[in-house]
Coordinates of all heavy atoms in Angstrom, one line a residue:
I16 N 156.8 283.4 316.8 CA 156.8 284.4 315.8 C 157.2 283.8 314.5 O 158.2 283.1 314.4 CB 157.7 285.6 316.2 CG1 157.2 286.3 317.4 CG2 157.8 286.6 315.0 CD1 158.2 287.3 318.0
D17 N 156.4 284.1 313.4 CA 156.8 283.7 312.1 C 157.7 284.8 311.5 O 157.3 285.9 311.2 CB 155.5 283.6 311.2 CG 155.8 283.3 309.8 OD1 157.0 282.9 309.5 OD2 154.9 283.3 308.9
P18 N 159.0 284.5 311.4 CA 159.9 285.6 310.9 C 159.6 286.1 309.5 O 159.8 287.3 309.2 CB 161.3 284.8 310.8 CG 161.1 283.7 311.8 CD 159.7 283.3 311.7
A19 N 159.0 285.3 308.7 CA 158.6 285.7 307.3 C 157.5 286.8 307.4 O 157.3 287.6 306.4 CB 158.2 284.6 306.5
A20 N 156.7 286.9 308.4 CA 155.6 287.8 308.6 C 156.1 289.2 309.2 O 155.3 290.1 309.2 CB 154.5 287.2 309.4
L21 N 157.3 289.2 309.6 CA 157.8 290.5 310.3 C 158.1 291.6 309.2 O 158.6 291.3 308.1 CB 159.1 290.2 311.1 CG 158.9 289.3 312.3 CD1 160.3 288.9 312.8 CD2 158.0 289.9 313.3
T22 N 157.7 292.8 309.6 CA 158.0 293.9 308.7 C 159.4 294.4 308.9 O 160.1 294.0 309.8 CB 157.0 295.1 309.0 OG1 157.3 295.6 310.3 CG2 155.6 294.6 308.8
R23 N 159.9 295.2 308.0 CA 161.2 295.8 308.1 C 161.4 296.5 309.4 O 162.4 296.4 310.1 CB 161.5 296.7 306.9 CG 162.8 297.4 307.0 CD 163.0 298.3 305.7 NE 164.3 298.9 305.7 CZ 164.6 300.1 306.2 NH1 163.7 300.8 306.8 NH2 165.8 300.5 306.1
E24 N 160.3 297.3 309.8 CA 160.4 298.1 311.1 C 160.5 297.1 312.3 O 161.1 297.5 313.3 CB 159.1 299.0 311.2 CG 159.2 300.1 310.2 CD 158.6 299.8 308.8 OE1 158.1 298.7 308.7 OE2 158.8 300.6 307.9
Q25 N 159.8 296.0 312.2 CA 159.9 295.0 313.3 C 161.3 294.4 313.4 O 161.8 294.2 314.5 CB 158.8 293.9 313.2 CG 157.4 294.5 313.5 CD 156.3 293.5 313.1 OE1 156.3 292.9 312.0 NE2 155.4 293.3 314.0
L26 N 161.8 294.1 312.2 CA 163.2 293.5 312.2 C 164.2 294.5 312.7 O 165.2 294.1 313.3 CB 163.5 293.0 310.8 CG 162.8 291.8 310.3 CD1 163.1 291.5 308.8 CD2 163.2 290.5 311.2
L27 N 164.0 295.8 312.4 CA 165.0 296.8 312.9 C 164.8 297.3 314.3 O 165.5 298.1 314.8 CB 165.0 297.9 311.9 CG 165.5 297.6 310.5 CD1 165.3 298.8 309.5 CD2 166.9 297.1 310.5
G28 N 163.7 296.8 314.9 CA 163.5 297.1 316.3 C 162.7 298.4 316.5 O 162.7 299.0 317.6
W29 N 162.1 298.9 315.5 CA 161.3 300.2 315.6 C 159.9 299.9 316.1 O 159.2 300.7 316.7 CB 161.2 300.9 314.3 CG 162.5 301.3 313.7 CD1 163.7 301.4 314.4 CD2 162.8 301.5 312.4 NE1 164.7 301.8 313.6 CE2 164.2 301.8 312.3 CE3 162.1 301.6 311.2 CZ2 164.9 302.2 311.1 CZ3 162.7 301.9 310.0 CH2 164.1 302.2 310.0
R30 N 159.4 298.7 315.8 CA 158.0 298.3 316.1 C 158.1 297.0 316.9 O 159.0 296.2 316.7 CB 157.1 298.2 314.9 CG 156.9 299.5 314.2 CD 155.8 299.5 313.2 NE 155.5 300.8 312.7 CZ 154.6 301.6 313.2 NH1 153.9 301.2 314.2 NH2 154.4 302.8 312.7
C31 N 157.0 296.7 317.7 CA 156.9 295.5 318.5 C 156.8 294.3 317.5 O 156.0 294.3 316.6 CB 155.7 295.6 319.4 SG 155.4 294.1 320.3
A32 N 157.6 293.3 317.8 CA 157.6 292.1 317.0 C 156.3 291.3 317.2 O 156.0 290.4 316.4 CB 158.8 291.2 317.3
L33 N 155.6 291.5 318.3 CA 154.4 290.8 318.6 C 153.1 291.5 318.1 O 152.3 290.9 317.5 CB 154.2 290.6 320.1 CG 155.4 289.7 320.7 CD1 155.2 289.7 322.2 CD2 155.4 288.3 320.2
C34 N 153.0 292.8 318.3 CA 151.8 293.5 317.9 C 151.9 294.6 316.9 O 151.0 295.1 316.3 CB 151.1 294.1 319.2 SG 152.0 295.5 319.9
G35 N 153.2 295.0 316.6 CA 153.4 295.9 315.5 C 153.3 297.4 315.9 O 153.5 298.3 315.1
T36 N 153.0 297.7 317.2 CA 152.9 299.1 317.6 C 154.3 299.7 317.7 O 155.3 299.0 318.0 CB 152.2 299.3 318.9 OG1 152.8 298.5 319.9 CG2 150.8 298.8 318.8
L37 N 154.4 301.0 317.5 CA 155.7 301.7 317.6 C 156.2 301.6 319.1 O 155.4 301.7 320.0 CB 155.4 303.2 317.3 CG 156.6 304.0 317.0 CD1 157.4 303.5 315.8 CD2 156.2 305.5 316.7
L38 N 157.5 301.3 319.2 CA 158.0 301.0 320.5 C 158.4 302.3 321.3 O 159.0 303.1 320.7 CB 159.2 300.1 320.4 CG 159.0 298.6 320.1 CD1 160.3 297.9 319.8 CD2 158.2 297.9 321.2
A39 N 157.9 302.4 322.5 CA 158.4 303.4 323.4 C 159.3 302.8 324.4 O 160.5 303.1 324.6 CB 157.2 304.1 324.0
G40 N 158.7 301.9 325.2 CA 159.5 301.0 326.1 C 159.6 299.7 325.5 O 158.6 299.2 324.9
D41 N 160.7 299.0 325.7 CA 160.8 297.7 325.0 C 161.5 296.6 325.9 O 162.1 297.0 326.9 CB 161.5 297.8 323.7 CG 162.8 298.5 323.8 OD1 163.5 298.4 324.8 OD2 163.2 299.1 322.8
R42 N 161.3 295.4 325.5 CA 162.0 294.3 326.2 C 162.5 293.3 325.1 O 161.8 293.2 324.1 CB 161.0 293.6 327.2 CG 159.8 293.0 326.5 CD 158.8 292.5 327.5 NE 157.5 292.4 326.9 CZ 157.0 291.2 326.4 NH1 157.7 290.1 326.5 NH2 155.8 291.1 325.8
P43 N 163.6 292.7 325.3 CA 164.1 291.7 324.3 C 163.3 290.5 324.2 O 162.8 290.0 325.3 CB 165.6 291.5 324.8 CG 165.5 291.7 326.2 CD 164.5 292.8 326.5
L44 N 163.1 289.9 323.0 CA 162.4 288.7 322.9 C 163.4 287.5 322.5 O 163.1 286.4 322.7 CB 161.4 288.8 321.7 CG 160.1 289.5 322.1 CD1 159.2 289.5 320.8 CD2 159.4 288.8 323.2
G45 N 164.4 287.8 321.8 CA 165.4 286.8 321.2 C 165.8 287.3 319.8 O 165.7 288.5 319.5
T46 N 166.2 286.4 319.0 CA 166.7 286.7 317.7 C 166.1 285.8 316.6 O 165.6 284.7 316.9 CB 168.2 286.6 317.6 OG1 168.6 285.3 317.8 CG2 168.9 287.6 318.5
V47 N 166.1 286.3 315.4 CA 165.8 285.5 314.2 C 166.9 285.7 313.2 O 167.5 286.7 313.2 CB 164.4 285.8 313.6 CG1 163.2 285.5 314.4 CG2 164.4 287.3 313.1
T48 N 167.2 284.6 312.5 CA 168.2 284.7 311.5 C 167.6 284.4 310.1 O 166.8 283.4 310.0 CB 169.3 283.6 311.7 OG1 169.9 283.9 313.0 CG2 170.4 283.7 310.6
I49 N 167.8 285.3 309.2 CA 167.2 285.3 307.9 C 168.3 285.3 306.8 O 169.2 286.1 306.9 CB 166.2 286.5 307.7 CG1 165.1 286.4 308.7 CG2 165.6 286.5 306.3 CD1 164.1 287.6 308.7
G50 N 168.2 284.3 305.9 CA 169.2 284.3 304.8 C 168.6 284.9 303.6 O 167.5 284.7 303.2
Q51 N 169.4 285.7 302.9 CA 169.1 286.3 301.7 C 170.2 286.1 300.7 O 171.3 286.8 300.8 CB 168.8 287.8 301.9 CG 167.8 288.4 301.1 CD 167.5 289.9 301.5 OE1 168.2 290.5 302.2 NE2 166.4 290.4 300.9
G52 N 170.1 285.1 299.9 CA 171.2 284.7 299.0 C 172.3 284.1 299.9 O 172.0 283.3 300.8
P53 N 173.5 284.5 299.7 CA 174.6 284.0 300.5 C 174.8 284.7 301.9 O 175.6 284.3 302.7 CB 175.9 284.2 299.7 CG 175.5 285.5 298.9 CD 174.0 285.3 298.6
T54 N 174.0 285.7 302.1 CA 174.1 286.5 303.4 C 173.1 286.0 304.4 O 171.9 285.9 304.2 CB 173.8 288.0 303.1 OG1 174.7 288.4 302.0 CG2 174.0 288.8 304.3
L55 N 173.6 285.8 305.6 CA 172.7 285.5 306.8 C 172.8 286.7 307.7 O 173.8 287.3 308.0 CB 173.3 284.3 307.6 CG 173.2 283.0 306.9 CD1 173.8 281.9 307.8 CD2 171.8 282.6 306.6
T56 N 171.6 287.2 308.1 CA 171.5 288.3 309.0 C 170.7 287.9 310.2 O 169.6 287.3 310.1 CB 170.8 289.5 308.3 OG1 171.5 289.8 307.1 CG2 170.8 290.7 309.2
T57 N 171.2 288.2 311.4 CA 170.5 287.9 312.6 C 170.0 289.2 313.2 O 170.7 290.2 313.3 CB 171.5 287.3 313.7 OG1 171.9 286.0 313.1 CG2 170.7 287.0 315.0
Y58 N 168.7 289.2 313.4 CA 168.0 290.4 314.0 C 167.6 290.2 315.4 O 166.9 289.2 315.7 CB 166.8 290.7 313.1 CG 167.0 291.1 311.7 CD1 167.0 290.1 310.7 CD2 167.3 292.4 311.3 CE1 167.2 290.4 309.4 CE2 167.6 292.7 310.0 CZ 167.5 291.7 309.0 OH 167.8 292.0 307.7
P59 N 167.9 291.1 316.3 CA 167.3 291.0 317.6 C 165.8 291.5 317.6 O 165.5 292.5 316.9 CB 168.1 292.0 318.5 CG 168.7 292.9 317.5 CD 168.8 292.2 316.2
L60 N 164.9 290.8 318.2 CA 163.5 291.2 318.2 C 163.2 291.8 319.6 O 163.6 291.4 320.6 CB 162.6 289.9 318.0 CG 162.8 289.3 316.6 CD1 161.8 288.1 316.5 CD2 162.6 290.2 315.5
W61 N 162.3 292.8 319.5 CA 161.9 293.6 320.7 C 160.4 293.6 320.7 O 159.7 293.5 319.7 CB 162.4 295.0 320.6 CG 163.9 295.0 320.5 CD1 164.7 295.0 319.4 CD2 164.8 295.0 321.7 NE1 166.0 295.0 319.8 CE2 166.1 295.0 321.1 CE3 164.6 295.0 323.0 CZ2 167.2 295.0 322.0 CZ3 165.7 295.1 323.9 CH2 167.0 295.0 323.3
A62 N 159.8 293.6 322.0 CA 158.4 293.7 322.2 C 158.1 294.9 323.1 O 159.0 295.4 323.8 CB 157.9 292.4 322.8
C63 N 156.8 295.2 323.2 CA 156.4 296.3 324.1 C 156.7 295.9 325.5 O 156.6 294.8 325.9 CB 154.8 296.4 324.0 SG 154.3 297.0 322.4
D64 N 157.0 296.9 326.3 CA 157.2 296.8 327.7 C 156.5 298.0 328.3 O 156.9 299.1 328.1 CB 158.7 296.8 328.1 CG 158.9 296.4 329.6 OD1 158.0 295.8 330.1 OD2 159.9 296.8 330.1
P65 N 155.4 297.9 329.0 CA 154.8 296.7 329.5 C 154.3 295.8 328.4 O 154.2 296.2 327.2 CB 153.7 297.1 330.5 CG 153.3 298.5 329.9 CD 154.6 299.0 329.3
N66 N 153.8 294.6 328.8 CA 153.3 293.6 328.0 C 152.3 294.1 326.9 O 151.5 294.9 327.2 CB 152.7 292.5 328.8 CG 152.3 291.3 328.1 OD1 151.8 291.4 327.0 ND2 152.4 290.2 328.7
C67 N 152.5 293.7 325.7 CA 151.6 294.1 324.6 C 150.1 293.9 324.9 O 149.3 294.7 324.7 CB 151.8 293.3 323.3 SG 153.5 293.5 322.6
A68 N 149.8 292.7 325.4 CA 148.4 292.4 325.7 C 147.8 293.4 326.7 O 146.7 293.9 326.5 CB 148.3 291.0 326.3
T69 N 148.6 293.8 327.7 CA 148.1 294.7 328.7 C 147.9 296.1 328.1 O 146.9 296.8 328.3 CB 149.1 294.8 329.9 OG1 149.3 293.5 330.4 CG2 148.6 295.7 331.0
E70 N 148.9 296.5 327.3 CA 148.9 297.8 326.7 C 147.7 297.9 325.7 O 147.0 298.9 325.7 CB 150.2 298.1 326.0 CG 150.3 299.5 325.4 CD 150.5 300.6 326.5 OE1 150.8 300.3 327.6 OE2 150.1 301.7 326.2
N71 N 147.6 297.0 324.9 CA 146.5 297.0 323.9 C 145.1 296.9 324.5 O 144.2 297.5 324.1 CB 146.7 295.9 322.8 CG 147.9 296.2 321.9 OD1 148.3 297.3 321.8 ND2 148.5 295.1 321.4
A72 N 145.0 296.1 325.6 CA 143.7 296.0 326.3 C 143.3 297.3 326.9 O 142.2 297.7 326.9 CB 143.8 294.9 327.3
W73 N 144.3 298.0 327.5 CA 144.1 299.3 328.1 C 143.6 300.3 327.1 O 142.7 301.1 327.3 CB 145.3 299.8 328.9 CG 145.1 301.1 329.6 CD1 145.7 302.3 329.2 CD2 144.2 301.4 330.6 NE1 145.2 303.3 330.1 CE2 144.3 302.8 330.9 CE3 143.3 300.6 331.4 CZ2 143.6 303.4 331.9 CZ3 142.6 301.3 332.4 CH2 142.7 302.6 332.6
R74 N 144.4 300.4 326.0 CA 144.0 301.3 324.9 C 142.6 301.0 324.4 O 141.9 302.0 324.1 CB 145.0 301.2 323.8 CG 146.3 301.8 324.1 CD 147.3 301.7 323.0 NE 148.6 302.2 323.4 CZ 149.7 302.1 322.6 NH1 149.6 301.6 321.4 NH2 150.8 302.6 323.1
A75 N 142.2 299.8 324.2 CA 140.9 299.4 323.7 C 139.8 299.9 324.7 O 138.8 300.5 324.3 CB 140.8 297.9 323.5
A76 N 140.1 299.7 326.0 CA 139.1 300.1 327.0 C 138.9 301.6 327.1 O 137.8 302.1 327.1 CB 139.5 299.5 328.4
I77 N 140.0 302.3 327.1 CA 140.0 303.7 327.2 C 139.4 304.4 325.9 O 138.6 305.3 325.9 CB 141.4 304.3 327.5 CG1 141.8 303.9 328.9 CG2 141.4 305.8 327.3 CD1 140.9 304.4 330.0
G78 N 139.8 303.8 324.8 CA 139.3 304.3 323.5 C 137.8 304.1 323.4 O 137.1 305.0 322.9
H79 N 137.3 303.0 323.9 CA 135.8 302.8 323.8 C 135.1 303.7 324.8 O 134.1 304.4 324.5 CB 135.5 301.3 324.2 CG 134.1 301.1 324.4 ND1 133.2 301.0 323.3 CD2 133.3 301.0 325.5 CE1 132.0 300.8 323.8 NE2 132.0 300.8 325.1
A80 N 135.6 303.8 326.0 CA 135.0 304.6 327.1 C 135.0 306.1 326.7 O 134.0 306.8 327.1 CB 135.7 304.4 328.4
A81 N 135.9 306.6 326.0 CA 136.0 308.0 325.6 C 134.8 308.4 324.8 O 134.3 309.6 324.9 CB 137.3 308.3 324.8
G82 N 134.2 307.5 324.0 CA 133.1 307.9 323.1 C 131.8 307.2 323.5 O 130.9 307.3 322.7
C83 N 131.7 306.6 324.6 CA 130.5 305.8 325.0 C 129.8 306.5 326.2 O 130.3 306.5 327.3 CB 131.0 304.4 325.3 SG 129.6 303.4 325.8
E84 N 128.6 306.9 325.9 CA 127.7 307.5 326.9 C 127.4 306.5 328.0 O 127.3 306.8 329.2 CB 126.5 308.1 326.3 CG 125.6 308.9 327.2 CD 126.3 310.2 327.7 OE1 127.0 310.8 327.0 OE2 126.1 310.5 328.9
A85 N 127.1 305.2 327.6 CA 126.7 304.2 328.6 C 127.9 303.9 329.6 O 127.7 303.6 330.7 CB 126.3 302.9 327.9
C86 N 129.1 304.1 329.1 CA 130.3 303.8 330.0 C 130.3 304.9 331.1 O 130.7 304.6 332.2 CB 131.6 303.9 329.2 SG 132.0 302.4 328.3
R87 N 129.9 306.1 330.8 CA 129.9 307.2 331.8 C 128.9 306.9 333.0 O 129.1 307.3 334.1 CB 129.5 308.5 331.2 CG 130.6 308.9 330.2 CD 130.4 310.3 329.7 NE 131.4 310.6 328.7 CZ 131.2 310.9 327.4 NH1 129.9 310.9 327.0 NH2 132.1 311.1 326.6
T88 N 127.8 306.1 332.7 CA 126.9 305.8 333.7 C 127.1 304.4 334.3 O 126.4 304.0 335.2 CB 125.4 305.8 333.1 OG1 125.3 304.8 332.1 CG2 125.1 307.2 332.6
G89 N 128.1 303.7 333.8 CA 128.5 302.4 334.3 C 127.5 301.3 333.8 O 127.5 300.2 334.4
E90 N 126.8 301.5 332.7 CA 125.8 300.5 332.2 C 126.2 299.9 330.8 O 125.4 299.4 330.1 CB 124.5 301.2 332.1 CG 124.0 301.7 333.4 CD 122.7 302.6 333.2 OE1 122.2 302.7 332.0 OE2 122.2 303.1 334.2
C91 N 127.5 299.9 330.5 CA 127.9 299.4 329.2 C 128.6 298.1 329.3 O 129.6 297.9 329.9 CB 128.9 300.4 328.6 SG 129.5 299.9 326.9
A92 N 128.0 297.1 328.7 CA 128.5 295.7 328.7 C 129.8 295.6 327.9 O 130.7 294.9 328.4 CB 127.5 294.7 328.1
T93 N 129.9 296.3 326.8 CA 131.2 296.3 326.0 C 132.3 296.9 326.8 O 133.4 296.3 326.9 CB 131.0 297.1 324.7 OG1 129.9 296.5 324.0 CG2 132.2 297.0 323.9
G94 N 132.1 298.0 327.5 CA 133.1 298.7 328.3 C 133.5 297.7 329.4 O 134.7 297.6 329.7
Q95 N 132.6 297.1 330.1 CA 132.9 296.2 331.2 C 133.7 295.0 330.6 O 134.7 294.6 331.3 CB 131.7 295.7 331.9 CG 132.0 294.9 333.1 CD 132.7 295.7 334.1 OE1 132.4 296.8 334.5 NE2 133.9 295.1 334.6
R96 N 133.4 294.5 329.5 CA 134.1 293.4 328.9 C 135.6 293.8 328.6 O 136.5 293.1 328.8 CB 133.4 292.9 327.6 CG 134.1 291.7 326.9 CD 133.4 291.3 325.6 NE 133.2 292.4 324.7 CZ 134.1 292.9 323.9 NH1 135.3 292.5 323.9 NH2 133.7 293.9 323.1
L97 N 135.7 295.0 328.0 CA 137.1 295.5 327.7 C 137.9 295.7 329.0 O 139.1 295.4 329.0 CB 137.0 296.8 326.9 CG 136.5 296.6 325.5 CD1 136.2 298.0 324.9 CD2 137.4 295.9 324.6
L98 N 137.3 296.2 330.1 CA 138.0 296.4 331.3 C 138.3 295.0 331.9 O 139.4 294.8 332.5 CB 137.1 297.2 332.3 CG 137.1 298.7 332.1 CD1 136.2 299.3 333.1 CD2 138.5 299.2 332.3
D99 N 137.5 294.0 331.8 CA 137.8 292.7 332.3 C 138.9 292.1 331.5 O 139.8 291.4 332.1 CB 136.5 291.8 332.2 CG 135.4 292.1 333.1 OD1 135.7 292.9 334.1 OD2 134.3 291.7 332.9
A100 N 139.0 292.3 330.2 CA 140.1 291.8 329.4 C 141.4 292.5 329.8 O 142.5 291.8 329.9 CB 139.9 292.1 327.9

Side-chain angles (χ1 to χ4, degrees):
I16 296 172
D17 176 12
L21 295 172
T22 65
R23 179 177 183 270
E24 289 83 10
Q25 289 171 312
L26 288 172
L27 295 176
W29 302 338
R30 294 191 173 270
C31 176
L33 299 173
C34 71
T36 58
L37 198 58
L38 289 172
D41 52 29
R42 60 189 163 94
L44 284 180
T46 62
V47 293
T48 301
I49 299 176
Q51 215 172 10
T54 305
L55 292 178
T56 306
T57 300
Y58 297 94
L60 297 181
W61 299 90
C63 295
D64 189 24
N66 187 320
C67 299
T69 304
E70 185 71 21
N71 290 336
W73 179 248
R74 286 182 187 174
I77 292 299
H79 171 79
C83 178
E84 187 65 36
C86 280
R87 293 188 185 115
T88 62
E90 300 172 359
C91 180
T93 302
Q95 188 59 52
R96 181 182 50 78
L97 291 169
L98 282 175
D99 291 344

